[in-house]
Amino acid sequence: MSEGWRVELRGRLGALTVDVSFEAGGDPTVIIGPNGAGKTTVLRAIAGARTGLEGRVVLRGRTLMDTAAGIFRPPEDRRIGYVPQGLGLFPHLSALDNVAFGCGRGAEARERAREVLRRLDIEALADRLPHAMSGGERQRVALARALAIEPEGLLLDEPLSALDVGKRRQTRALLAQHLQAAERPALVVTHDLRDLLVLGGEIVVLDEGRVAQRGSVEALARKPATELVAELLEPLG
């Protein structure tokens, strides 16, 4: 599957045994599961954090990690836009400079950053430092920074969780539109099942470090493989 992801990760982290294997195409793939299922661990390993996991990660035909072959590309060489739960904004940089950070230097980088801020309807935040923003505003700036570098793939860990209802609906629609237009494979961790309906694509359900089921919303809701899957998707019924 050269246009998307191929992920094979295994290992033990504390009490969690990870044994995850899935492929995902060019459409967004949403990862759901209970707390402690390994969702963030999987994203961090794909992004290049040394989690202690072994296995193989391939993005659009390019091997990012293959422990059997001794391949481990550092995060900066993976060309992945990553929005972690902690957001990772530089506290001493304005919103504009945070977004422009990965785009290079000079006026062109700042203009590209400003365009992404404009697209996400947060250009008014351009000169603000993170401490002067609300949690939702910081989250949207972090999302803008991930999008601005025009990555090969995106990893979004609860990208909309800090937004209020109105902003979440608006930003969710903008995110879905951007992902469709950018034609970049994305893995999105979320607890909000409305994201599944808007972002489309397939779902990967993780439970205790393993893939419990994967497929479309309709397929999983129609024939859940486990009680957990049925419970997770019950609000959509």
Side-chain angles (χ1 to χ4, degrees):
M1 186 173 292
S2 60
E3 74 277 11
W5 306 90
R6 182 174 180 179
V7 177
E8 302 168 9
L9 295 169
R10 58 191 176 276
R12 187 172 181 84
L13 298 172
L16 180 67
T17 298
V18 177
D19 188 0
V20 169
S21 178
F22 65 87
E23 294 186 5
D27 293 330
T29 296
V30 179
I31 302 176
I32 64 173
N35 290 335
K39 303 182 297 296
T40 294
T41 295
V42 167
L43 256 60
R44 292 185 70 245
I46 295 171
R50 288 192 176 272
T51 59
L53 298 180
E54 298 181 343
R56 189 165 182 251
V57 176
V58 178
L59 172 58
R60 306 184 82 182
R62 181 170 175 257
T63 300
L64 307 182
M65 166 184 168
D66 188 336
T67 52
I71 298 172
F72 187 90
R73 295 186 184 274
E76 62 273 15
D77 190 33
R78 297 197 176 198
R79 299 205 296 268
I80 291 175
Y82 180 36
V83 178
Q85 287 190 25
L87 302 183
L89 296 178
F90 297 110
H92 61 290
L93 295 183
S94 67
L96 181 63
D97 289 335
N98 260 289
V99 175
F101 182 81
C103 300
R105 297 183 178 181
E108 184 178 346
R110 290 174 65 81
E111 181 53 37
R112 187 189 308 173
R114 192 175 294 278
E115 172 56 30
V116 178
L117 292 175
R118 189 179 302 123
R119 202 182 310 158
L120 292 179
D121 196 28
I122 51 173
E123 189 179 10
L125 302 177
D127 296 327
R128 288 195 207 172
L129 295 174
H131 73 81
M133 305 176 202
S134 68
E137 288 170 341
R138 288 193 296 271
Q139 196 138 27
R140 296 176 86 186
V141 171
L143 177 59
R145 187 173 67 177
L147 297 174
I149 64 173
E150 298 181 357
E152 290 291 307
L154 285 166
L155 302 174
L156 309 178
D157 196 350
E158 299 281 0
L160 309 176
S161 62
L163 305 181
D164 60 35
V165 174
K167 289 297 184 182
R168 185 179 303 172
R169 185 184 305 113
Q170 178 187 29
T171 305
R172 183 189 293 121
L174 287 168
L175 176 60
Q177 182 182 19
H178 179 90
L179 293 179
Q180 183 178 13
E183 297 182 343
R184 293 292 185 269
L187 300 177
V188 185
V189 167
T190 183
H191 282 92
D192 191 335
L193 297 187
R194 288 167 293 188
D195 295 343
L196 309 182
L197 301 177
V198 176
L199 296 178
E202 286 201 329
I203 304 169
V204 174
V205 183
L206 294 188
D207 183 22
E208 296 183 344
R210 292 172 171 79
V211 177
Q213 194 172 1
R214 59 180 293 253
S216 67
V217 174
E218 296 79 8
L220 270 61
R222 183 173 61 251
K223 194 174 182 179
T226 67
E227 289 186 8
L228 171 71
V229 176
E231 291 173 4
L232 290 173
L233 295 179
E234 185 177 4
L236 297 179

